[in-house]
Amino acid sequence: MSISADAPNTPISTETPPMHNQLEFFIEQARKSGPIRTAVVHPVDHNSLLGAIEAAEQGLIEPLLVGPEHKIRAAAEIEGIDLSPYTIISTEHSHMAAECACTLIREAKAVALMKGSLGTSELLSAVIHKTKGIRTERRLSHVFVFDVPNYHKPLVITDAAINVAPDLIAKRDIVQNAIDFCQSLGNESPKVAILAAVEKVKPTMQSTLDAAALCKMADRGQITGGIIDGPLAFDNAISLQAAIDKHINSPVSGDADILLAPDLEAANMIAKQLIYLADAKSAGLAVGAKVPIILTSRAEGTLGRLASCALASYMVKHPRMGA
C-alpha cells in the first residue's frame, strides 16, 4: 500500500495553558491544528489499540496500525472497533513491526511513533539501530509533563523511564532534550533545576558534582536554550520561600519548568508520588530520536494517552525548536 508524506498542517498555538487544565489545553490546541500521521507499533491488545483509535477519533493522530493483521483485527473485534477508516500495515511479529515503523519514519510516511503491545526495550532497540533506526546524535530520554494542583505551570520531570544511571554526558543530552521539548510547547527559555539531596557541591555526592558541571557546560554553550541551576534540593527548586529560608539566590527556585533527577529511580519516585499523592495529571514522551515517541503505561488513563499524543503533535508542528 502506498503511503504519501503528510501534508502541512496548521501550526499549534503556543499560548500559556490555563491553571490546572494544562493537559486539556494541549489536547485542544493539538486538535485544532490537525492530526499527525503516527505509526502505532503492534497494537494487538485492548489498551494499545483503543488508545490509538481514541486519539484518532479526537483528531490528534492519523494512525498507521503496524503489526500482525490478524491479531489487530481480533483485538478490534473484541472491542467492537471499526477498522475500515484506518490503514493496517501487516507484519509477522512485534520486532518486525518496530522495524517497519522506523522505516515509515525514515521514508517520511509518518512523523511520530506510538508504542503498542510490545516492550519498551524492544521498540527502542529498533529506534536506536545504527542503520535501520531513527536515532540522532543525542541520547534518547523520557519527559514526563505534569499538571500539579499546587504548582503554577506545567512541570517536566526527566528521566523517569529510559536512562537508569546516566553519567554526565548522558545528563547533558537529557537536559538538552527537555529544553528543546519545552521550547516546542512555546517556552523559549525554560528553567532547569538540577536536583540533588543538598544545595552545595559535595565531593562525595556525584549528583552535586554533575549539577555543577552541567551549569558550567551551559555557561560554555554545551547546553543551550535554557536557564540552568544546581545542585538544588527538591524543596528549593519548587518553592521560592524554601530557597529564601536557605539563603539561596537562584533564578530557577520556585519557578522551575524542568526537574532533572540524578537517576531513573529518583525521577520515577518523584513522578509517581505526584500522581498518587498530589493528584497530578501526567503525560509523557520519549525524545531525542528523529521523531517523538509516544510511550504510555498500560495503567495510563484516557487523558494521559490523549495528552501524550498532543505533546507529540506540538513537537512535530514546531520543528524549528524541537529536537
Side-chain angles (χ1 to χ4, degrees):
M1 182 176 295
S2 175
I3 301 173
S4 62
D6 271 353
N9 289 310
T10 304
I12 296 176
S13 168
T14 53
E15 299 173 34
T16 302
M19 288 284 286
H20 312 318
N21 286 299
Q22 295 158 3
L23 299 188
E24 293 87 348
F25 173 84
F26 292 138
I27 292 169
E28 182 60 29
Q29 293 301 310
R31 185 187 293 122
K32 290 177 181 177
S33 74
I36 57 171
R37 183 164 291 166
T38 303
V40 185
V41 185
H42 203 62
V44 299
D45 69 350
H46 167 87
N47 284 344
S48 59
L49 183 59
L50 192 60
I53 300 305
E54 285 175 341
E57 290 176 345
Q58 290 291 323
L60 298 172
I61 69 170
E62 179 188 341
L64 304 176
L65 306 176
V66 186
E69 183 170 359
H70 66 285
K71 290 186 177 181
I72 295 172
R73 293 195 179 280
E77 186 174 351
I78 292 172
E79 301 298 329
I81 296 172
D82 178 14
L83 293 180
S84 60
Y86 309 112
T87 299
I88 298 175
I89 301 173
S90 189
T91 65
E92 293 182 13
H93 45 68
S94 58
H95 185 69
M96 186 179 293
E99 289 184 353
C100 178
C102 289
T103 298
L104 291 172
I105 298 297
R106 293 197 312 273
E107 295 177 352
K109 295 174 180 176
V111 294
L113 288 184
M114 186 173 186
K115 176 179 172 288
S117 181
L118 76 169
T120 298
S121 60
E122 183 178 9
L123 175 60
L124 297 186
S125 291
V127 168
I128 65 173
H129 192 279
K130 291 183 178 179
T131 57
K132 299 179 181 179
I134 53 171
R135 64 191 300 172
T136 67
E137 73 281 0
R138 295 261 189 88
R139 191 178 186 91
L140 286 181
S141 59
H142 184 271
V143 290
F144 260 129
V145 180
F146 287 93
D147 181 348
V148 186
N150 290 330
Y151 201 62
H152 59 286
K153 59 181 175 179
L155 183 64
V156 173
I157 295 175
T158 191
D159 174 348
I162 295 177
N163 295 283
V164 176
D167 61 13
L168 178 62
I169 300 305
K171 287 180 180 179
R172 179 197 63 188
D173 284 356
I174 293 169
V175 170
Q176 191 66 67
N177 285 342
I179 290 172
D180 289 349
F181 168 73
C182 285
Q183 288 184 331
S184 75
L185 301 184
N187 185 344
E188 295 191 4
S189 187
K191 297 179 179 180
V192 184
I194 312 298
L195 296 183
V198 296
E199 304 81 32
K200 295 182 179 180
V201 177
K202 301 281 188 180
T204 57
M205 296 183 69
Q206 187 61 46
S207 59
T208 68
L209 297 174
D210 287 349
L214 288 166
C215 291
K216 184 51 65 176
M217 293 170 86
D219 290 343
R220 295 291 185 263
Q222 292 172 271
I223 300 171
T224 61
I227 300 168
I228 300 174
D229 196 18
L232 291 170
F234 184 86
D235 57 349
N236 44 66
I238 294 298
S239 167
L240 179 59
Q241 187 59 53
I244 292 171
D245 291 344
K246 292 185 177 181
H247 308 290
I248 297 169
N249 182 14
S250 169
V252 172
S253 290
D255 198 37
D257 298 289
I258 299 166
L259 303 180
L260 174 73
D263 56 32
L264 183 145
E265 289 182 316
N268 193 275
M269 283 186 267
I270 294 170
K272 290 183 177 176
Q273 285 167 359
L274 290 175
I275 293 169
Y276 289 99
L277 294 179
D279 201 25
K281 296 178 284 190
S282 69
L285 295 175
V287 292
K290 291 181 179 179
V291 299
I293 303 169
I294 302 160
L295 290 179
T296 52
S297 165
R298 287 169 291 181
E300 189 66 77
T302 299
L303 177 62
R305 289 197 295 263
L306 295 180
S308 297
C309 293
L311 295 173
S313 183
Y314 268 82
M315 292 196 72
V316 169
K317 302 297 177 63
H318 293 277
R320 67 181 180 86
M321 293 185 188

